[in-house]
Amino acid sequence: MVDYMWHISEDDLESIAIGAGILGTGGGGNPYIGMLRARQMIRENGPVKVLSHDELDENDNIVCVGGIGAPTVGIEKVRDKQSYYALKAIEDFTGKKATAIISNEIGGSNSLEPIIPASLAGLPIVDADGMGRAYPEVQMKTYFVYGVPSYPMAVCDEKGNTALITEALDAKWVERMARAVTIQMGGVACYALAPMTAHQVQTTAVLDSLSLVKRLGDAVRNARTTHEDPIEALLDVHPGKVLFQGKIVDLDRQTTAGFARGQVVIEGTDQFESDKLTIEFQNENLIARLNSEIICIVPDLICIVDSERGEPITTELLRYGFRVTVLGFPGPDLWKTPEGLATAGPSAFGYDVEYSDLELT
């Protein structure tokens, strides 16, 4: 490895949490809770080093870690050091010591989860992830879509229980088994995957995503300080568009089969007056319908933020009466291939519609 590109400080955490909450499309775990956990690690062990994908060495072993479970459970049953336990378990099973950590998804608290094992093990984090957003299921990773094995996987809870998935027919079966284990562990757990090579990360990951969420968070914070529009500030950093603005008038949310599922209805204000937007979610926002017309669908990002502060609102925190702005961002190109769409496009969630790119004009 060569020089580290930057270090995550305590001040950086707020920006990362805001940006990751936005790209999390409602899921990925509550970013504020993730920030508090990461802050404790940095206070105890100092800033965490971050590597560009270009700084990886051919001999590196990069371990992906992340959380699994329902966000509605995660705000009450806060993760502890499970991802570190999972890291140690996968190292023991594979006989390979990790040299760096990478995130399973850049959305929500999972963007901050790598800080826990990285801090405790003294390892750097790679500026990349396996989604470029958040998705609800384990198999929905660009790593797996483009050839990285989905097993072995170690799943750990806060009590000290560890489950190892050593073989599976495919990544979907890994999801099924890991989800079943997580439900028995109380609805929240963390996992680690077998180490990846530098080449695997460089060719299958969504690159530079950690630095992107930091820039998004910086933009929101700076806009608040200068009393500018945080929505415009976000769109200056990352190409996207305002899909809708209004007030939440109806919410149906249930925790079933390890997921937060439901829909939210938003009544339009300003230029959207007399219109309604309905968003369906499975942890993450999946499809947005303006009246009855689909205007955004996975793998493109549907992000709900507070209209005044630009603060992301995750699905478990949606409430009647919130005044929100719904943003749309194009999904990463890795999700728009036939393989990517088959894994995490509309049909993967049961929608019998053909994907079309989000129109930014």
Side-chain angles (χ1 to χ4, degrees), residues 17 20-21 26-37 70-72 74-76 78-79 107-112 312-317:
N30 186 279
Y32 178 72
I33 294 174
M35 180 187 72
L36 295 180
R37 295 172 60 234
T72 44
I75 58 174
E76 297 184 14
V78 178
R79 301 174 198 162
S109 66
N110 269 326
S111 65
L112 295 154
I313 305 174
T314 50
T315 51
E316 74 274 12
L317 296 181

Side-chain angles (χ1 to χ4, degrees), residues 7 11 45 89 112 118 133 140 167 191 194 196 200 214 216 251 260 262 282 288 302 306 334 343:
H7 293 68
D11 182 67
N45 303 311
L112 295 154
R133 46 165 297 149
M140 296 172 176
E167 290 188 46
Y191 64 85
M196 292 185 283
Q200 286 175 321
K214 181 182 180 298
L216 288 170
L251 175 64
Q282 178 187 331
I302 304 164
D306 178 273
L334 287 171
T343 301

Side-chain angles (χ1 to χ4, degrees), residues 63-82:
V63 172
C64 170
V65 301
I68 180 172
T72 44
V73 177
I75 58 174
E76 297 184 14
K77 191 173 187 285
V78 178
R79 301 174 198 162
D80 186 28
K81 299 176 182 176
Q82 296 98 304

Side-chain angles (χ1 to χ4, degrees), residues 233-251:
L234 283 170
L235 297 178
D236 285 341
V237 172
H238 194 43
K241 67 184 294 187
V242 174
L243 297 175
F244 201 74
Q245 288 180 314
K247 182 178 76 171
I248 295 177
V249 295
D250 193 25
L251 175 64

Side-chain angles (χ1 to χ4, degrees), residues 173-197:
W173 270 103
V174 173
E175 154 66 26
R176 290 170 177 165
M177 290 186 280
R179 189 71 51 181
V181 168
T182 300
I183 291 171
Q184 294 304 312
M185 287 179 169
V188 172
C190 287
Y191 64 85
L193 301 172
M196 292 185 283
T197 65

Side-chain angles (χ1 to χ4, degrees), residues 25-26 243 279 285-288 296-297 300-304 326-327:
T25 65
L243 297 175
I279 298 173
N285 303 318
L286 303 176
I287 184 171
C296 194
I297 193 168
D300 291 331
L301 283 67
I302 304 164
C303 312
I304 302 175
V326 182
L327 301 173

Side-chain angles (χ1 to χ4, degrees), residues 80-90 154 156-158 160 162:
D80 186 28
K81 299 176 182 176
Q82 296 98 304
S83 55
Y84 175 69
Y85 303 149
L87 167 66
K88 303 312 290 183
I90 207 69
C156 296
D157 68 8
E158 79 287 356
T162 298

